[in-house]
Amino acid sequence: MFSWLGTDDRRKKDPEVFQTVSEGLKKLYKTKLLPLEEHYKFHEFHSPALEDADFDNKPMILLVGQYSTGKTSFIRYLLEQDFPGMRIGPEPTTDSFIAVMHGTMEGLIPGNALVVDPKKPFRKLNAFGNAFLNRFVCAQLPNPVLESISVIDTPGILSGEKQRISRGYDFAAVLEWFAERVDRIILLFDAHKLDISDEFSEVIKALKNHEDKIRVVLNKADQIETQQLMRVYGALMWSLGKIVNTPEVIRVYIGSFWSHPLLIPDNRKLFEAEEQDLFKDIQSLPRNAALRKLNDLIKRARLAKVHAYIISSLKKDMPSVFGKDNKKKELINSLGEIYSRIEKEHQISPGDFPNLKRMQEQLQAHDLNKFQPLKMKLLDSVDDMLAHDIAQLMVLVRQEETQRPNQVVKGGAFEGTMNGPFGHGYGEGAGEGIDEVEWVVARDKPMYDEIFYTLSPVNGKVTGANAKKEMVKSKLPNTVLGKIWKLADIDKDGMLDDEEFALANHLIKVKLEGHELPSELPAHLVPPSKRKVPE
């Protein structure tokens, strides 16, 4: 008689089955989160509704910085070619938002045409009006880097009230729109001018809640001496600390991201290492794109739930007939208390609530009587999505990652640091002597032999116990020495002959000089007597 109850209950608990993460995210958003957003006017307060293109698009990088910090040059450096609409100069040159994307033909698509293209994730930008759309273009070109990622170039941030008004659109709001949808936000600073203008400060605050996406690049660092660079780095960290209120220190990459010769080459190794770290971070974006979209959907769902509680609470407290205007003012002024009440009633974290001042400003333009009361069915649907469906999608994310393990950004500047003698760390540390005919360890072998024969070798080999007494003098931890032993004991007999002992000491020297140990012994470090003779 009541069998339908069990079926409905089971359907609620069993998560839906999806073929791909992208398909799953689209369906969950449309069936479970979007109804809640529409019912409580979420799109009028926070963010426009998501579309299929938002879930299907390639990872995007947003470049933000004051004018002449090298944003356009940075894109040119990554692509290793010019792109349509590109202008570089010491004065404010880029006055538009340029989405640099992959295309079979080179060309520019103007903003008004761009926001009606359902395949591009920019349709909702039409809300910012013609003043913005006239300053928004898409530069398309066939480039291998753009097959994996897209890059958004932004106008240089200026200072002063006049420039801010003359834009004709809400610059910070546009950046916030992009921040929600991109995978990485790169803030560029010029090592010569670290003053953070009012507008830049406002922009960084607009990026709040997206700190996990932010990376900072201290550009043009080759133009100042080492001592000055240390001071500039310290000043930048201090300035950022005052604006970005996070307990963690933001990662800052120091370098000179253009293809010109270094003016002061003293810090070349530092710049190379920093560039390599930044490139690794960018190259990981395609692999982590699905996880980022999943994370952003969860963030959005939490905000939508809180928004529903706020809207329904305001509706509940509004009178049905008299004194509506006075009550509206009273409720808006006491919104902070309403936040606290909702927080306690529903055990919600304070960090999930929208900005109080901004919410108060937005509520002024709305008729609170037209708001909807609390509808638990919609909230339960979102809770069900977060509790069950998201967990299933997480498993699918991992499956997709294992199926495409080598999904990284290729081409452009990313190729120059991969192979050949100009690859990062080539000929250094464990790579020293890679091109030499002679075994590189042989240089210091006489010195290592003297130590070897003091360790009482038996049949030309020292025991592990005796070798350990010498190796621990390096003061390296046992985990590191254990790895060195594994690499040096080539014949795996638990003892070291004179060549293996010399190799172990060479690897200790490599580690003490600050280099990483290889996971496998490179061919050029294998002692000559242990090398396999080609048949």
Side-chain angles (χ1 to χ4, degrees), residues 272-321:
E272 284 175 3
E274 292 285 280
E275 181 184 276
Q276 196 68 16
D277 285 355
L278 179 59
F279 280 7
K280 277 182 188 168
D281 188 63
I282 292 171
Q283 284 182 301
S284 70
L285 294 179
R287 197 170 56 246
N288 299 326
L291 197 58
R292 193 275 303 168
K293 286 169 186 167
L294 186 65
N295 185 52
D296 282 357
L297 187 72
I298 296 167
K299 241 195 266 188
R300 188 180 177 101
R302 289 166 72 97
L303 179 60
K305 274 182 64 185
V306 172
H307 178 77
Y309 285 129
I310 294 166
I311 295 298
S312 57
S313 181
L314 291 168
K315 165 72 176 175
K316 187 179 164 188
D317 292 342
M318 279 294 286
S320 53
V321 186

Side-chain angles (χ1 to χ4, degrees), residues 70 72-78 88 219-223 255-263 275:
T72 309
S73 298
F74 183 84
I75 300 173
R76 168 80 185 71
Y77 182 70
L78 290 186
I88 294 173
N219 203 10
K220 305 185 184 180
D222 68 312
Q223 298 175 20
S256 201
F257 295 91
W258 62 355
S259 50
H260 295 263
L262 300 176
L263 285 181
E275 181 184 276

Side-chain angles (χ1 to χ4, degrees), residues 245-446:
N245 297 315
T246 55
E248 302 88 13
V249 176
I250 283 185
R251 175 67 164 100
V252 177
Y253 299 91
I254 303 170
S256 201
F257 295 91
W258 62 355
S259 50
H260 295 263
L262 300 176
L263 285 181
I264 301 169
D266 300 1
N267 298 309
R268 184 187 191 102
K269 279 196 172 181
L270 169 69
F271 299 158
E272 284 175 3
E274 292 285 280
E275 181 184 276
Q276 196 68 16
D277 285 355
L278 179 59
F279 280 7
K280 277 182 188 168
D281 188 63
I282 292 171
Q283 284 182 301
S284 70
L285 294 179
R287 197 170 56 246
N288 299 326
L291 197 58
R292 193 275 303 168
K293 286 169 186 167
L294 186 65
N295 185 52
D296 282 357
L297 187 72
I298 296 167
K299 241 195 266 188
R300 188 180 177 101
R302 289 166 72 97
L303 179 60
K305 274 182 64 185
V306 172
H307 178 77
Y309 285 129
I310 294 166
I311 295 298
S312 57
S313 181
L314 291 168
K315 165 72 176 175
K316 187 179 164 188
D317 292 342
M318 279 294 286
S320 53
V321 186
F322 301 111
K324 290 180 185 178
D325 289 344
N326 288 338
K327 188 64 177 174
K328 177 181 172 179
K329 283 178 191 169
E330 186 190 316
L331 286 172
I332 291 172
N333 289 334
S334 62
L335 190 61
E337 293 165 27
I338 294 169
Y339 276 17
S340 301
R341 191 175 75 223
I342 293 168
E343 187 188 323
K344 285 171 191 165
E345 266 181 44
H346 303 283
Q347 286 81 49
I348 296 167
S349 164
D352 287 351
F353 284 84
N355 180 278
L356 179 64
K357 192 178 175 188
R358 188 171 163 191
M359 192 72 178
Q360 286 173 322
E361 287 170 5
Q362 288 172 319
L363 284 168
Q364 301 284 357
H366 284 82
D367 181 352
L368 272 55
N369 275 91
K370 289 184 178 174
F371 286 170
Q372 297 294 334
L374 197 62
K375 195 172 181 183
M376 285 312 296
K377 190 180 175 184
L378 291 172
L379 286 159
D380 288 345
S381 182
V382 174
D383 283 335
D384 182 56
M385 176 187 89
L386 292 171
H388 302 107
D389 299 306
I390 293 292
Q392 193 223 355
L393 274 183
M394 278 298 295
V395 175
L396 204 53
V397 166
R398 296 293 171 224
Q399 284 175 3
E400 285 190 4
E401 279 178 4
T402 52
Q403 285 163 10
R404 293 178 292 186
N406 300 318
Q407 197 183 17
V408 293
V409 183
K410 293 176 182 174
F414 298 98
E415 294 298 309
T417 57
M418 296 293 283
N419 305 307
F422 296 98
H424 181 64
Y426 189 92
E428 299 170 10
E432 187 186 352
I434 191 168
D435 296 325
E436 295 176 22
V437 179
E438 294 293 320
W439 187 38
V440 68
V441 183
R443 292 178 199 164
D444 299 316
K445 190 168 181 294

Side-chain angles (χ1 to χ4, degrees), residues 30-88:
K30 285 175 186 171
T31 58
K32 298 197 172 181
L33 184 54
L34 187 59
L36 179 79
E37 291 182 354
E38 288 174 337
H39 195 69
Y40 295 105
K41 301 178 187 281
F42 179 85
H43 308 136
E44 293 176 33
F45 285 86
H46 301 289
S47 173
L50 298 176
E51 298 194 327
D52 286 356
D54 290 308
F55 298 104
D56 294 332
N57 70 307
K58 293 168 191 168
M60 292 195 289
I61 298 172
L62 180 69
L63 293 181
V64 182
Q66 290 172 260
Y67 74 89
S68 192
T69 51
K71 296 186 297 298
T72 309
S73 298
F74 183 84
I75 300 173
R76 168 80 185 71
Y77 182 70
L78 290 186
L79 303 184
E80 290 188 343
Q81 75 174 93
D82 292 349
F83 57 88
M86 182 185 95
R87 282 175 64 219
I88 294 173

